[in-house]
Structures are given as C-alpha cells and as structure tokens.
Amino acid sequence: MSLSTHTVTTHTVTDYVEDVSPGSGALPPRAWYASSDARSLSLNGGWRFRLSPTADAEDDSFAEEGYDAGGWATVQVPGHWVLQGHGAPIYTNHLYPFPVDPPRVPTENPTGDHLRVFDLPQDWPDLAEGGAVLRFDGVESCARVWLNGTDLGAFKGSRLPHEFAVGHLLKTVDNVLAVRVHQWSAGSYLEDQDQWWLPGIFRDVTLLHRPAGSALDFFVHASYDHRAGTGTLRVDSDVTGRVTVPELGIDLATGESATVPVEPWSAETPRLYTGELATEGERVPLRIGFRTVALRDGLIRVNGRPVLFKGVNRHEWHAEKGRALDLATMREDVLLMKRHNVNAVRTSHYPPHPAFLDLCDEYGLWVIDECDLETHGFTEQGWRDNPVDDDRWTPALLDRAARMVERDKNHPSIVLWSLGNEAGTGRGLTAMAQWIKNRDASRLVHYEGDPTCRDTDVYARMYADHAEVERIGQGLDGGTHKRRRLPFIQCEYAHAMGNGPGGLADYQRLFESYDRLQGGFVWEWIDHGIAHPELGHAYGGDFGEELHDGNFVCDGLLFPDRQPSPGLVEFKKVIEPVGIAGDAGDGTVRITNKQDFAGLSALAFSWSYEVEGEPVRSGTLPVPELAPGESAEVKLPAPPDGAPAGEAHWTVRAVLAADTPWAPRDHVVAWGQVPVAQRQTPTVAATARPVSGDGVISLGPGTFDARTGALTAVGGVPVRGLRLDVWRATTDNDDGAPWQPDLRYGLLWRKLGLHRMRHRLDAVERGADALTVRTRVAAAAREMGLSTVYRWTSDGDRLQLTVSVTPEGDWTVPLPRLGVRFGLSAADRVRWYGGGPGEAYPDSRTASTVGRWQSTVDDLQTPYVRPQENGARADVRWAELGGLRVEGAPEFFLTARRWTTEQLDAATHRTDLVPGDTVWVNLDHAQHGLGSQSCGPGPLPRYHLRAEPAGFSFVFSTAPAPEAS
C-alpha cells in the first residue's frame, strides 16, 4: 500500500491584489480635460466606509443594491482613511514596510470598503442617449469597483486615471457605487516613493456623460518655428470634428494642419490661445501653447533657445489632507513658485493631479512629468527581483507610461517625460522609453537611474557635489560616449531638510558658467509634516510605525503650513532672473538679463541710497531693454548732497511694473546692494580702571564677580553666564546621511564631546586698564581644548570684550560655532543693523540684506519641524535687546531665544520647547556652514569653521528698550 500527497492550490476572490497585471475592465487611457459641454457629476463628498484588517475579511455583498450600510462610518472623498481616524499613516524613505516577496503582500492588508448612493440630476440626458464613463483620478493602491451590483473591474496605478463604461448600468435614482480599496497590492512594489503610505480614494471621482459622437481621445500638436515666427497646429482625434482658434483665424478639420504667425509659449511668456474641438456630440475647450522642444548641439532647446531649469521637486502634500489636494492649494503652490522665481517643476515621483498641469500651462512653469514608478526598496538586496527587469511586470510598466502620456500629452508646460525614479535598470524601462518616443516624439525622455543614458535624452544626476558638477560642465566626467554628448541636469540637489540647504549660490554659479549644465531641481517643495494636536506636525515614527525614516519626510522649501522657509527665500535670491552687481568705485551697476526668452519690459528699476541702514534718498533707475543674456553698465546718480556720514550702500531693485496673474505691481523680483562707504569698526579707549569692592569688580558700566571674573551686569542690565560657546543644536544637515559616515559632523562633534564642554578658570587678573580672565574650554575624556582669554576694557561709558581663542591638541573636525553666549532676564523686542530680515548662515546668506531691522525674540525663531539650530542673523554691526546694546568688531551672527541650546538640541518637536524666564543670546564670530548633507554634500571647505587661533571683540553699552511696534 502506498501513500501519496496531494497539493491543492486555492484561488480566492482577491487574487487580483497580487496579480502583476495593471488590472481589468478599465477603458484605454486618453487625454484628460476638465470640462466640456457634456454633462458631468462629481461624486466627491461623504462616502460610507468600513475598514477590514485583511483583503478577504468581508464578502462583496456590500456592493449589492439595498445593502444597509447605516452603521458604517463616513469618510470624505477625496481623502485618505488613515487621516480620518481609521488606522495610521506609515512613512518610509525607500524600505518597503512589508516583507519583500514580489508580488506577494501581507495577509494583514487594511482594506477599506467605500459606498456611495447617488441620483442623477434631473437635467441629466436621457439614459438612452449616449453612454457614461465613471472616472477615478487616483486611488491607493488597488481598487475593485462595482456599480449597481455589477463588477466593473479592478485597477492599480495609484496616481493615474482609470475609467469604466457604465452607461448601460445607470439608473435615474439610487445608483449604488461600491469601491473596495486595498492598502497593499502588487502595485505597491512599483510605488516606493519616499513618502507617507496613505491608502484611499484621494483624487476626484466623476461621472461623465458621453453623448453619441462625443470626443474620445485627441492629441494637440502645436509646434513653433522660431526662425519664421510661425506656429503649426494639428489636432489628431479618434472622432472626426473641427478645430477652431478664433484669435488665429483657424478653422480646420481634425487631422489637418495650419501654419500661422503666433506668439510662442514659454515658462517666461506663457502665451495660450483659446480654441475648441467640436465633434458631433461634444464641444471641448482647448488651451493651446505653441512651442518646440528639441535636443540640438548637446542642449535642451525650446523654441530654438537653451533653457536653464531653476526648479523644484514637488510631491503633492497638504498637512491635513495628505495627497488629496484641492484646486486652491494647487494654485497657491504655483503662485508661490512664480513669486520665488522658480521656473520648473519635476513631478516627483508620479503625475500630479491634472489640474496642477493646467496651472503650469497658465502661469508658466517648465514641467518634467514623472511616471508613477519607483522600486527603490529593491536596492536592499542589490536590485535582485527588481520588477523593471522582470518581463512579467512589463505590461504594468507600459500601462503606467501610457496612462501618464495619454492623460497629459496636451500640456505645453511638459517638456520632458520621466520614466520614474530610483528603479534601477532593466528591460521594462527600455520598453517604456521606446513606447513613449514612438507615441510622442515632440518631447524628450528623462530617467536618472541609468548611468549609461541608454534610454534617455539627458544626463541626470542626484546630489552630485559642486566639484563633480563642474567636471561635468567641463566635459571631464567620463561615462559612455552617448552620455558625454548629452545635456546635464541635477534632477535632485540641495536637499532642503531642516536648516538649509547651504551652497545654493555656489551651484548656481556653476549652472550659469557652463552651457552643458542646464540647471536643476531642489529636493523638495514642501515638508510632509502631518498636522497633529499634541506634536504640532508629526513625522515618521510618531504613529507607532515599526519601521520608519523619522523626519526625513520633512525636507522641503515650505513648512507644512505652506509658509516659505529661509531656504526658499535664499533660493529666490540665488535664481533671480536679473543680475544686479556693482562697484562703487566707478559709480555704476551692472544689470544682466538672465532670462531665456523675455526682455526686461515687465520690470521697473529703482535705487535707494542708505546710510547706516537708513534710506536717505531714492529714485527710479533707467535701464535699457536687454535681450536674454545681455548686460549693461548703468550709471548710478551721485551720492546725495548732505547725506550723513557712515557706512553707505546703494540698493537697486527690479520690481514688477504692472500687475501680473501671479503677483501684484511692485513685487520685488531681484535686487542687489553696492557698498559705498565702509563701516568704521568700533573701538573703546581703555581709560577706565577696574575697581574691586564687596566681592565685585567694577569697570566702567560693567560689574563682575571678583572671584570668577564673570560679567554680571552692564549698567542696570543683569547679564548671566557669559562664556565661550562652540555648540549648536545640530541641524539635519549636520547629522548627515548614514551612507556618508566620515562626514557626519554632528555625530563627530558629539563623539568629541563638543555638546558638553567644561570651562576651567585659570586666572582672574585685574590690571591697570583691563580685567583679564583666562580659561580653558574642553570636553571630558578629551585632551584637546580651547585656551580662551577674555579681556575687558572700558572708556567709562562702554565696555569692550576682546576674546582670544587658541586651539590645543589635535583638532580633526571643524567647530559648530565660535562666539559667546549669555542670558538676559528681560528681552522681547530686538533691533539690529546688519543682515536681515531673515535667517542666514555662511553658505546661505545671499538673500540677507544689509539694513535696519526689528523683531520680537519669538519671531526670530525659524519653525523647523524638528527643532535645530536656527534664527541667526548674519553680518550684524550692532544689536539692541533688553536694554543692552552690542557692537561687533568685526560683524557677528546674532541669535536670541527663550530656551538654551541644550534644550533646543534635546527637542524632537516644536511643542517640546517651553519658553523660560531667560533670553539666551549668542554673539558668534563665525558659524560652520550648512551644506545639504542630510542627503547631498556637506559644506564646501571655504565654509568650514576650522579650529585655529581667532580673536574678536564686542562693545557693550546700555540702550533703551525698543518700543513695541
């Protein structure tokens, strides 16, 4: 007798979840348009919702007519259920938050059943007249759809549209739309995009009437001949119709061409012509921009001219709604970009809501439209089993490419298609590139992940440091023969995480110096903090994730509430479209038009003559019309007669001459300062003598502890704990990226104990005209230290401190900061003359304007989501706060806050920072640079604060507290 074993494979009704195919039942992709004269019905709003722990926990009876969902919760669509009280978000950078076993996903697979019952409007066309299409613009990550009990199909591709034919299923009233959404699916392996994992129906759901003879798919071809000044229009359509553009006198059949004189479209001059596609059953509005994109002579050219991308990467984000963005928020993003001189967007790492591309067309932004594809997590196993090199997945990849291209092909703002991001290399990517080029030869193809550039028209890199970028610009980078002939862009650079990025101006100088370097895209546009009642804004780990990447999700130029960070203000200055520089010696200023297409007619120029930061006189500055790339030396007026003596500057501004769609008249586009008269460094004659008595030493307005030599007051202003300070609460860029261990200065500083320095008193010496305090500052367990001498002198009214620092031992790392810190018991308003109005550091100070500024102590703080060093004002000549006046010799960095550096360093969220009774003031002779090493390079060597002998002085006196404004 023999025994045999039988294996039985059970197939379930959820097999589609782990199927590598893109889905079933959906219509072929087509062009997206917001409106036509055909009826539509938005199905956004409140939906009934039930959450299950697994994909198969519930049957599909909820999709049947008459099902009672009265006990279910309600969620808003568009929306994510984890942001509406059902489950929790998860943040990972590139690690999959589930076991990597493609295409399998965990049994623990949160599944949301969504139910909506709707009636057709009374004026909806007769159901016998034409059909209808049900459109989903975005669902994460896999959905199955039923209408009135009929299974329509399933789909994956979270950030792509999917349509179903439903005309034969519709009823006048009580239509039951049921959607089952699974958080994890085979599609999740293709969507590992450094962001929150947020399941749900997060974009619009719309019912579209499709009359007989309505438009199906159409492709607007609108090229521009820059030599002839003409545009050629042809609209290919699946349905015969006519195309009219009244302003151009065009009236022609689909498929026919017309060539007429036109104004071209560019990001600087986004000229759109209003047209219409009329078929037998539908009229579709068209917005047509004429432009030609070409790769010629190794450069990306639009309308015959090379372009320089001054761009940002943009994830879709809203602090309360996640990726469920409304039109007003999208418009706010575009307006902020335009107002900060941004001219380009890479849609990282998926196609955005199509309405965003409409705004890019309208306001003028170059766009790299990126496919919904990233398999970054496979890098953990050396890209083994990577789907893009597995033929089984190629249909899904091609489906994603097609849904992007077909949806977005009629947008003039899109100049490059991107295959995706950080997906390694493989046959699937090659298939995508070939399909895209066959479908649309009018644009170029981008992909960063293939160093051979086999499938791309540009050489793209992430986070190449300045030296490598310069070698690339010089053509010394090596690589394949094809790659060396391609233009270069940094599709990600200047990682804007926390305080930073530093080095933007240095990158921009390179981009403007070498033709091959066609700019880059800062990572990224906005911090992805989630609004949280206890934490302010939450990041990775704040929702109990077992695997997360902390605040790496907060790396944007905007804070989560869409307030610009100092990094965005710096970027605006660095990339301004007009260069303004001068030399007071010859009384001229050099104006350079840095635009690619536009002249300067939209701008008005003005001058202001300022002494000690105060405007003395101002006027208009006549500037000749300059073509793109041209410069002119413009004569400044003579300095005003009778102007007071002191440090003087010319400030020249370029502002909008008239209102534009994106900013009002007088909006500042660019500015520059030209020094005229230099500052006189403050000095104090050592005429007062130190006097001892009752345990104190008096020197002019200063009072000192006789035993320790510590300053206790200046005049009537108490001063606490003045001493040398070298520590700063490490920035995200100081702490660096794990893959660059030798350059993670924050970790090295802690290892050397710079956050716990001890101060040894060696001597207090009362001389004839000075009080000298000798100390040594060092960390426990370390031999290296800083020999520090404080020398106090006075003329009777003012008190001067001269600090001399001499390093001892083998200092192998730069210092975080070098200056003095002290506490004031009462300080609120701050006035200063120097750089402002905002924060600045050694390699992020281009936007700092010399002038007179004022603020409250609280407003000096920069609200980084993870607290860290912030708020320094650079090049400060003098400052007044709490009745104390401080002058620097030389200029200094000023920081003031209501908590200590140690408290700031220990905080993980802003809500951890509790104001105390003391305002702690730092007067820094120097700070270490910022860099962008949270993902990119560290500070350039010239911004390192090396441990070497240094001397600096401050002059203290009393001053009235500034009046509240």
Side-chain angles (χ1 to χ4, degrees):
M1 182 176 178
S2 63
L3 298 176
S4 61
T5 301
H6 298 278
T7 300
V8 178
T9 301
T10 302
H11 295 279
T12 70
V13 293
T14 58
D15 283 350
Y16 65 91
V17 174
E18 296 181 336
D19 188 345
V20 298
S21 75
S24 62
L27 295 169
R30 66 185 181 113
W32 192 97
Y33 49 94
S35 64
S36 74
D37 65 347
R39 287 300 311 272
S40 65
L41 174 65
S42 172
L43 297 177
N44 295 345
W47 289 51
R48 290 294 188 178
F49 176 78
R50 174 181 66 188
L51 182 63
S52 302
T54 65
D56 58 356
E58 301 285 350
D59 61 27
D60 57 9
S61 60
F62 80 105
E64 299 294 333
E65 298 176 77
Y67 183 87
D68 183 6
W72 290 18
T74 300
V75 296
Q76 290 298 309
V77 171
H80 306 279
W81 71 68
V82 294
L83 297 182
Q84 300 184 60
H86 306 278
I90 300 169
Y91 168 62
T92 61
N93 167 23
H94 74 277
L95 299 175
Y96 290 107
F98 48 79
V100 179
D101 183 22
R104 305 298 303 279
V105 295
T107 299
E108 297 87 353
N109 188 357
T111 296
D113 290 335
H114 298 69
L115 198 61
R116 171 73 187 264
V117 179
F118 66 93
D119 299 337
L120 296 179
Q122 289 186 351
D123 59 349
W124 191 267
D126 190 291
L127 295 179
E129 297 178 3
V133 165
L134 179 64
R135 184 176 70 204
F136 295 88
D137 282 316
V139 183
E140 182 176 331
S141 73
C142 173
R144 193 166 198 93
V145 184
W146 295 262
L147 181 63
N148 293 329
T150 297
D151 184 353
L152 301 180
F155 62 89
K156 307 178 189 75
S158 297
R159 292 125 199 134
L160 297 162
H162 294 83
E163 293 181 329
F164 297 90
V166 297
H168 60 295
L169 299 174
L170 285 174
K171 303 185 301 180
T172 304
V173 297
D174 294 333
N175 291 282
V176 178
L177 176 56
V179 185
R180 174 163 286 170
V181 181
H182 307 282
Q183 175 156 16
W184 310 122
S185 70
S188 301
Y189 285 100
L190 304 179
E191 297 172 2
D192 187 23
Q193 291 145 323
D194 183 12
Q195 59 179 312
W196 294 97
W197 299 86
L198 298 175
I201 306 172
F202 68 93
R203 287 186 185 159
D204 306 291
V205 182
T206 312
L207 182 68
L208 304 168
H209 181 235
R210 300 282 77 210
S214 60
L216 296 177
D217 190 23
F218 58 92
F219 197 162
V220 177
H221 302 273
S223 61
Y224 179 72
D225 184 336
H226 64 279
R227 297 179 183 86
T230 57
T232 299
L233 176 66
R234 186 184 83 248
V235 178
D236 295 332
S237 174
D238 288 358
V239 176
T240 300
R242 296 201 68 80
V243 176
T244 55
V245 186
E247 187 176 355
L248 297 175
I250 290 177
D251 184 346
L252 71 165
T254 53
E256 295 180 351
S257 297
T259 299
V260 294
V262 297
E263 299 172 41
W265 188 98
S266 74
E268 295 167 6
T269 54
R271 180 66 159 95
L272 292 173
Y273 291 89
T274 299
E276 184 179 77
L277 168 63
T279 67
E280 178 185 354
E282 187 177 16
R283 293 180 177 272
V284 181
L286 303 177
R287 296 198 308 172
I288 302 165
F290 291 89
R291 58 106 186 92
T292 295
V293 183
L295 180 63
R296 187 179 303 127
D297 301 325
L299 296 176
I300 303 168
R301 297 177 186 268
V302 180
N303 300 335
R305 298 188 62 87
V307 295
L308 184 62
F309 295 118
K310 304 171 182 179
V312 294
N313 285 272
R314 176 186 176 269
H315 268 301
E316 294 184 302
W317 189 251
H318 189 283
E320 285 94 28
K321 301 174 184 177
R323 283 187 288 279
L325 265 62
D326 57 85
L327 182 60
T329 300
M330 289 185 267
R331 178 175 279 109
E332 183 180 357
D333 276 352
V334 170
L335 293 177
L336 280 169
M337 290 176 189
K338 294 292 291 186
R339 290 168 185 167
H340 287 85
N341 295 329
V342 172
N343 74 357
V345 179
R346 176 180 175 228
T347 69
S348 51
H349 298 295
Y350 42 83
H353 191 293
F356 178 78
L357 298 174
D358 286 341
L359 295 168
C360 294
D361 295 342
E362 178 182 349
Y363 292 100
L365 289 167
W366 307 116
V367 176
I368 298 180
D369 198 4
E370 193 148 270
C371 195
D372 189 9
L373 173 63
E374 182 169 337
T375 64
H376 200 174
F378 285 91
T379 188
E380 292 296 309
Q381 57 253 32
W383 297 105
R384 187 175 62 256
D385 299 326
N386 185 6
V388 304
D389 200 31
D390 183 336
D391 293 338
R392 296 176 301 163
W393 295 80
T394 299
L397 303 180
L398 291 173
D399 180 76
R400 289 170 183 250
R403 291 188 181 279
M404 171 183 69
V405 171
E406 301 297 5
R407 191 196 77 167
D408 297 341
K409 58 183 177 283
N410 295 326
H411 290 282
S413 56
I414 298 171
V415 291
L416 286 90
W417 300 115
S418 177
L419 303 180
N421 184 66
E422 292 177 316
T425 59
R427 299 183 299 276
L429 288 167
T430 298
M432 293 171 68
Q434 291 174 345
W435 186 92
I436 291 173
K437 291 178 179 180
N438 289 336
R439 178 58 175 147
D440 179 22
S442 69
R443 296 176 173 94
L444 306 180
V445 173
H446 164 276
Y447 178 65
E448 181 270 343
D450 179 8
T452 70
C453 298
R454 177 180 62 184
D455 302 318
T456 68
D457 298 310
V458 297
Y459 175 30
R461 283 288 307 280
M462 296 180 182
Y463 307 109
D465 63 25
H466 299 78
E468 182 179 2
V469 169
E470 184 158 30
R471 289 196 301 274
I472 293 169
Q474 295 169 336
L476 303 176
D477 53 305
T480 63
H481 179 69
K482 177 184 178 183
R483 192 181 87 180
R484 296 197 306 273
R485 299 175 62 189
L486 294 179
F488 175 80
I489 61 172
Q490 282 255 61
C491 64
E492 293 180 21
Y493 81 112
H495 198 250
M497 184 175 177
N499 190 345
L504 280 169
D506 305 281
Y507 272 121
Q508 194 64 26
R509 278 192 287 272
L510 293 172
F511 295 156
E512 294 177 3
S513 298
Y514 299 97
D515 291 343
R516 187 189 182 192
L517 307 181
Q518 294 199 251
F521 297 78
V522 170
W523 185 268
E524 66 167 305
W525 177 238
I526 188 170
D527 286 344
H528 296 195
I530 294 177
H532 192 284
E534 285 85 35
L535 301 176
H537 287 101
Y539 49 77
D542 288 334
F543 297 96
E545 304 103 302
E546 64 179 4
L547 188 70
H548 66 84
D549 285 290
N551 68 312
F552 202 70
V553 77
C554 295
D555 48 11
L557 294 169
L558 295 183
F559 296 121
D561 62 1
R562 279 186 158 72
Q563 292 302 307
S565 74
L568 181 57
V569 177
E570 175 80 356
F571 192 45
K572 175 188 176 180
K573 172 61 180 168
V574 164
I575 61 174
E576 58 191 9
V578 179
I580 301 173
D583 180 354
D586 62 6
T588 64
V589 63
R590 186 173 181 84
I591 307 295
T592 303
N593 182 357
K594 295 186 176 184
Q595 298 177 103
D596 296 323
F597 298 92
L600 300 182
S601 59
L603 301 176
F605 291 80
S606 64
W607 59 265
S608 173
Y609 188 80
E610 296 145 9
V611 177
E612 298 291 319
E614 296 279 14
V616 175
R617 193 166 299 168
S618 61
T620 60
L621 184 69
V623 173
E625 176 61 29
L626 298 174
E630 288 186 344
S631 298
E633 300 290 337
V634 178
K635 189 70 175 176
L636 291 165
D641 293 335
E647 183 182 18
H649 290 87
W650 293 102
T651 300
V652 176
R653 294 179 177 86
V655 304
L656 291 179
D659 291 346
T660 71
W662 50 270
R665 182 176 182 265
D666 293 331
H667 166 80
V668 177
V669 173
W671 59 271
Q673 282 192 310
V674 180
V676 181
Q678 298 299 314
R679 172 188 181 229
Q680 295 297 313
T681 303
T683 58
V684 172
T687 56
R689 297 174 59 87
V691 178
S692 299
D694 296 328
V696 300
I697 298 174
S698 298
L699 178 61
T703 304
F704 301 82
D705 183 288
R707 184 180 62 85
T708 64
L711 178 70
T712 58
V714 176
V717 180
V719 177
R720 171 186 171 191
L722 187 148
R723 64 186 189 182
L724 188 78
D725 193 13
V726 298
W727 181 246
R728 71 185 187 194
T730 54
T731 68
D732 292 313
N733 290 309
D734 289 339
D735 290 336
W739 54 88
Q740 297 174 308
D742 295 339
L743 298 175
R744 301 181 70 183
Y745 288 119
L747 277 62
L748 295 172
W749 291 337
R750 291 185 197 278
K751 182 178 179 181
L752 294 175
L754 300 190
H755 62 306
R756 49 178 177 80
M757 300 291 270
R758 299 289 182 262
H759 298 252
R760 186 185 74 203
L761 177 62
D762 289 339
V764 177
E765 301 169 354
R766 183 168 62 88
D769 60 358
L771 174 66
T772 302
V773 180
R774 302 183 186 278
T775 70
R776 188 175 191 271
V777 182
R782 299 290 174 182
E783 66 171 352
M784 59 189 197
L786 300 168
S787 175
T788 305
V789 178
Y790 308 91
R791 187 173 189 271
W792 298 93
T793 56
S794 176
D795 61 2
D797 296 318
R798 298 178 298 164
L799 183 67
Q800 180 162 348
L801 167 64
T802 300
V803 182
S804 301
V805 181
T806 304
E808 298 175 344
D810 184 16
W811 283 87
T812 58
V813 297
L815 295 171
R817 71 182 339 139
L818 182 66
V820 297
R821 178 176 77 168
F822 58 88
L824 297 176
S825 58
D828 181 30
R829 298 204 66 82
V830 184
R831 298 177 63 241
W832 75 97
Y833 168 43
E839 168 184 292
Y841 288 82
D843 54 351
S844 66
R845 67 199 304 170
T846 311
S848 183
T849 311
V850 175
R852 291 202 188 192
W853 310 102
Q854 59 179 319
S855 171
T856 64
V857 170
D858 293 337
D859 287 345
L860 287 178
Q861 314 311 308
T862 304
Y864 296 112
V865 176
R866 185 191 74 81
Q868 55 198 274
E869 165 62 33
N870 74 89
R873 269 53 180 182
D875 303 311
V876 176
R877 281 74 164 157
W878 58 256
E880 295 177 351
L881 69 166
L884 190 68
R885 180 182 174 92
V886 184
E887 299 172 80
E891 296 81 16
F892 59 94
F893 290 90
L894 169 69
T895 308
R897 52 177 67 102
R898 299 187 189 278
W899 36 77
T900 65
T901 298
E902 291 74 19
Q903 290 168 329
L904 181 63
D905 198 24
T908 60
H909 295 82
R910 284 186 51 77
T911 50
D912 295 333
L913 295 171
V914 180
D917 296 331
T918 301
V919 170
W920 292 97
V921 180
N922 276 89
L923 312 176
D924 288 318
H925 173 61
Q927 284 244 8
H928 185 63
L930 299 174
S932 63
Q933 202 176 351
S934 49
C935 193
L940 287 167
R942 62 177 168 274
Y943 303 121
H944 287 201
L945 175 52
R946 291 178 172 82
E948 55 192 16
F952 47 92
S953 295
F954 301 104
V955 177
F956 297 88
S957 58
T958 56
E963 298 180 1
S965 61

